[in-house]
Amino acid sequence: MFDRMKAQADKNRDTAKVLRSRGKDDAAKRMEDRASELESGRVTDVTDQVVGLFRWAQGR
């Protein structure tokens, strides 16, 4: 699960670079903050649970 969150954090940092190059420093700061939050472990990855719930619901 942590690999997904690390990959998303990397994408957020890449997006922040693009935003900063376009002069959108506030949005870039928010993306960098979100990336740091994802890497910190304070965010819970529930992807597997949601997918499992969706598959269970489809089976009915």
Side-chain angles (χ1 to χ4, degrees), residues 26-51:
D26 290 339
K29 175 77 171 115
R30 285 192 303 272
M31 292 300 283
E32 289 169 347
D33 290 346
R34 180 64 178 160
S36 296
E37 202 173 332
L38 288 169
E39 291 175 334
S40 74
R42 292 185 308 247
V43 178
T44 304
D45 182 8
V46 295
T47 304
D48 294 332
Q49 291 92 337
V50 171
V51 169

